[in-house]
Structures are given as C-alpha cells and as structure tokens.
Amino acid sequence: MGLLERLRKEWFILGIILVITAAKLQPSIGEKGGPLKPEISITYIAVSAIFFNSGLSLKTEELTSALMHVKLHLFVQVFTLVFFPTAIWFFLQVLSLTPINEWLLKGLQTVSCMPPPVSSAVILTKAVGGNEAAAIFNSAFGSFLGIVVTPMLLLLFLGSSSSVPFTSIFSQLFMTVVVPLIIGQIVRRYIKDWLERKKPPFGAISSCVLLMIIYTTFCDTFSNPNIDLDTFSLVVIVFIIFFIQLAFMLLTFLFSTSKNTGFTPADTVAIVFCSTHKSLTLGIPMLKIVFAGYEHLSLISVPLLIYHPAQILLGSVLVPTIKSWMLSRQKVMRTAYFQSQYQNLQKKYKLLLSSAVGCYILVHICTVFNYFFCFLNTQ
C-alpha cells in the first residue's frame, strides 16, 4: 500500500492531529464566545447533525435476522455497559494512587461508559468472516441504548458539571440526540431506495462534524492557561488503553469459547469486537453535553480520542490471526459434526440390519408354523 493511499485511508486520524494542532496555534477562534460560537454551532447544530446522520444511516430493517440470538446480545450489552465500566472503576481506584493526571483517569472512566460503535466493530467482524448480522444488531442496538444508559453511567461514576443541572442535561440530550435520531429514521423510510442507490458517505460526514467538535473542545483547553498535561501521564495512558483492550478481548474470547456457552466461532468474533469497541461518534457529543462548563473537558476527552484509533489498529492487526483461528475451529467442528453423523448412520444401519435379520427369522418361523398347522389340518 502506497503512502498516499495509506494517508487517504487514515485521513480521520490525521484530521484529529491537524485540528488539535490548529487549536493549539489559534485557540481564540473556536473557544467559547469566539467567532465560531461553539455554544450554539457545536452544542446544538453539530451534535444534532451527527445523530440525524446516524438515524439516516442505521439500517434497522436488517436487524430482524439477528434478533432471536438473545443470549449473544445480552452478553455483549451487559459486558459493554455494566462489566466494562465497573471493572475500570475498580482499576482506577488503584491508578489514583499513582502520579497519573487525574483528568486523564476520569477520561478512562468515560471511555468505559461508551456504547459500541456503529461501524468499526461491524467492519472488523465482516473482515474476519464472523457473525456480521449479530455485530450489526449489537452496534445499532447499543447505540440506541447508549443514548439513555451512557449519560446515566457518566453521571454515576463522575458526576455532572455544577453549571448544568441534571434535568437540563437530559432535556438537551433528548433534543440534540434522540429527536434528530428519530427524525433521521423517519426520513430514511421515505428515501431508503435513494439512499441504497446513491450510498451517501455517512461515515465521512459524521467524521468531519466530529473533527469540528474536537477542534472547539481543544480550543477551550488551550485558551485556559491553568491546564497542563504532562508527557508522562499521556504515555502511560496510551499503554493502559492498549492493555485494557487486549485484556478485555482475551476475556471475552475465553468466555465465549468455553464449554456450554453455545456460541459458534463466528459468534465469538462478533462478541470480541462488539464488547470491547467504544463509540467516538456518540461519545464526544455526549461529553460535550454532560460536562458542559468543565474546564478540563478536553483532558477527559483525550483517552477516548486515543481509544478510537487504538481499537481500529489492534483489530486490524489481529484480523488474520482471528480469521485463521475461526476457520480452523470451524473445520474441527465440521469434522466432528460429520463424524457424529457417520456414527449415527452406523447405528441406524446396524439397527436396520438387526431389524432386517429379525424380520427374516420371524418370516421363517411363521412359515414353519404355517406348515405345521397345515400338517395338523390334514391329519
């Protein structure tokens, strides 16, 4: 793959670096009260645009095929929105004793509260050849569920901004997240054929709006002279994020492949990716709403900005290994299935053979008795 092609493929990650650099060079443009008026253009217009776009792109009509796999869906959602944040909370109790920046640690907690992403988990599951329908269902359902559950988890583990009351947070979430999402789904019903034919770049549109949100978030940070981020904390957080991802991928893999779970190798692939991936598209706008007024909002956002490319990088690197495991496991299961079918056929053949022999003997016995009775009748 050439350099230009690689840059084109990773344009969003490069975009994150560019907007953070631009915010550092000229923070006054995107800060609160600046020319871009982020308190209106971002808080309301940009966030609403992202979720309207999500409503247009979510193919909820495709989820019915995976709806009945309740056990898999329950495991993914409970792991993502219950076990993940709870485990991270206990882990952070230990990390809080270290000199790592406390706002970056709070950022790790926000990562754990996020729902699964709509795209990356599905793309990686499809690349491996796993249960794509289950991945689509859990990504879409998790996104809907996250609209309600994620803000509650954030408020539970971190509390809200003192300047924004609880009722105001949820009313704003409803108006800028739920309403645009529902409108997007309604509009999709009427223009579904056109969308399928033209295939608009929904992902690219959301990513561009997201870059604008990231830019204004960091403008607020760099315009505040009291905020300082040490290199040590940042490097350690990067290593912690990779460790968390690998540990949880291994944990979900071990559980889903254990006996009596009933999951197929294709199910395991969907579980591993959907349970450990977190949504940046939903996460950043929600943080912007829930923590409005926090001067350390951008520091809280940093772990999520790192987690997003990290999950794509790790997933891409592991695709060949996971695919090789899945194919070999499926081959073993097919061999075992054919062996069991062969053994069943053997049993049926033996039973049929024994039945045939029994019938043959019975016929001859009946014939002997028939001759005997005939002989008696002639006497």
Side-chain angles (χ1 to χ4, degrees), residues 318-351:
L318 291 172
V319 159
T321 305
I322 296 175
K323 187 172 185 177
S324 176
W325 168 83
M326 188 190 75
L327 292 174
S328 63
R329 184 65 183 163
Q330 286 177 333
K331 186 178 179 180
V332 169
M333 291 180 70
R334 280 197 299 269
T335 303
Y337 172 77
F338 286 130
Q339 284 180 342
S340 66
Q341 291 298 308
Y342 177 71
Q343 289 173 353
N344 287 335
L345 284 173
Q346 278 188 320
K347 289 179 181 178
K348 289 178 180 178
Y349 174 74
K350 288 178 180 178
L351 182 63

Side-chain angles (χ1 to χ4, degrees), residues 81-96:
L81 296 172
V82 179
F83 178 81
F84 203 128
T86 305
I88 293 299
W89 185 84
F90 282 110
F91 184 43
L92 293 181
Q93 302 311 301
V94 178
L95 291 180
S96 62

Side-chain angles (χ1 to χ4, degrees), residues 20-302:
I20 293 175
T21 304
K24 175 67 175 176
L25 295 174
Q26 196 60 263
S28 60
I29 296 175
E31 68 179 345
K32 191 174 182 180
L36 288 180
K37 299 293 183 186
E39 60 272 19
I40 298 173
S41 62
I42 299 300
T43 305
Y44 294 99
I45 299 173
V47 174
S48 298
I50 281 182
F51 286 98
F52 174 74
N53 189 55
S54 295
L56 278 178
S57 60
L58 278 175
K59 299 180 180 181
T60 48
E61 64 271 11
E62 293 183 358
L63 306 183
T64 51
S65 61
L67 188 62
M68 300 309 293
H69 210 333
V70 178
K71 188 177 179 181
L72 188 153
H73 307 324
L74 186 64
F75 173 78
V76 170
Q77 300 305 324
V78 170
F79 188 94
T80 305
L81 296 172
V82 179
F83 178 81
F84 203 128
T86 305
I88 293 299
W89 185 84
F90 282 110
F91 184 43
L92 293 181
Q93 302 311 301
V94 178
L95 291 180
S96 62
L97 303 175
T98 67
I100 301 173
N101 187 294
E102 65 168 313
W103 297 104
L104 291 180
L105 294 181
K106 288 179 184 291
L108 280 178
Q109 187 68 69
T110 66
V111 170
S112 70
C113 298
M114 295 302 153
V118 177
S119 57
S120 62
V122 176
I123 292 168
L124 290 169
T125 300
K126 186 176 182 179
V128 173
N131 191 338
E132 187 183 356
I136 291 171
F137 180 90
N138 282 284
S139 295
F141 181 69
S143 297
F144 283 117
L145 196 62
I147 292 170
V148 177
V149 177
T150 294
M152 290 182 175
L153 290 174
L154 291 172
L155 293 168
L156 174 65
F157 287 109
L158 299 173
S160 68
S161 167
S162 57
S163 62
V164 183
F166 184 85
T167 52
S168 177
I169 289 172
F170 277 92
S171 63
Q172 188 174 345
L173 278 170
F174 181 78
M175 292 305 298
T176 59
V177 176
V178 179
V179 171
L181 196 70
I182 293 172
I183 293 174
Q185 281 285 286
I186 293 171
V187 172
R188 179 180 171 79
R189 284 190 174 187
Y190 293 98
I191 61 170
K192 184 172 69 173
D193 293 337
W194 181 85
L195 291 173
E196 293 297 325
R197 190 169 61 253
K198 295 294 183 181
K199 298 188 183 300
F202 293 116
I205 293 169
S206 289
S207 296
C208 288
V209 179
L210 202 57
L211 288 175
M212 189 177 174
I213 296 174
I214 294 168
Y215 169 70
T216 56
T217 300
F218 277 85
C219 281
D220 279 337
T221 298
F222 294 129
S223 62
N224 188 338
N226 299 321
I227 293 178
D228 182 40
L229 176 60
D230 60 291
T231 308
F232 168 77
S233 294
L234 188 59
V235 172
V236 172
I237 287 295
V238 171
F239 278 103
I240 289 173
I241 285 172
F242 276 96
F243 168 76
I244 288 171
Q245 282 210 22
L246 284 170
F248 282 177
M249 287 178 82
L250 179 62
L251 185 63
T252 52
F253 177 80
L254 292 175
F255 177 84
S256 59
T257 54
S258 60
K259 291 181 178 180
N260 302 323
T261 56
F263 295 130
T264 65
D267 292 339
T268 296
V269 174
I271 288 170
V272 168
F273 288 127
C274 291
S275 299
T276 58
H277 281 214
K278 296 294 183 177
S279 177
L280 180 70
T281 307
L282 298 177
I284 293 296
M286 282 189 180
L287 292 180
K288 196 80 176 176
I289 295 170
V290 176
F291 298 110
Y294 258 43
E295 63 175 4
H296 294 91
L297 174 59
S298 62
L299 294 185
I300 293 176
S301 307
V302 166

